[in-house]
Amino acid sequence: MFVLEVANDELMESLTRQAKERGIINAAIVSLIGVAGHLHHARIGTWFARAHVINLD
C-alpha cells in the first residue's frame, strides 16, 4: 500500500498522475481522506486529500 497526497490540484487527475509516475497502472483506492464533493471532478484548494492505494498488478 502506498499513500498519495493531493493539494492545490484536481483530485483524480493528480492521483492518476502520481500513480503513473510510480509505474502503477492498475490500482485501487482503499481509503480517501479529506475530500468532499463529486469524485469525477473534485478541486482540492486550501485543504488536502490523502489516498491510501494498493497496487493490483
Side-chain angles (χ1 to χ4, degrees), residues 5-8 16-17 19 21 26 31 36 43 45 50 52 56:
E5 191 164 303
V6 178
N8 298 312
T16 301
R17 182 175 56 251
E21 289 169 356
N26 192 16
S31 173
R43 181 79 188 159
R50 186 170 292 134
H52 295 85
L56 298 177

Side-chain angles (χ1 to χ4, degrees), residues 8-56:
N8 298 312
D9 205 349
E10 201 285 319
L11 178 67
M12 295 310 292
E13 288 176 3
S14 180
L15 293 177
T16 301
R17 182 175 56 251
Q18 289 182 60
K20 193 175 192 178
E21 289 169 356
R22 289 168 175 75
I24 306 300
I25 57 171
N26 192 16
I29 297 172
V30 177
S31 173
L32 187 59
I33 301 168
V35 174
H38 199 278
L39 291 184
H40 288 287
H41 184 80
R43 181 79 188 159
I44 309 301
T46 57
W47 64 96
F48 73 94
R50 186 170 292 134
H52 295 85
V53 179
I54 57 171
N55 186 359
L56 298 177

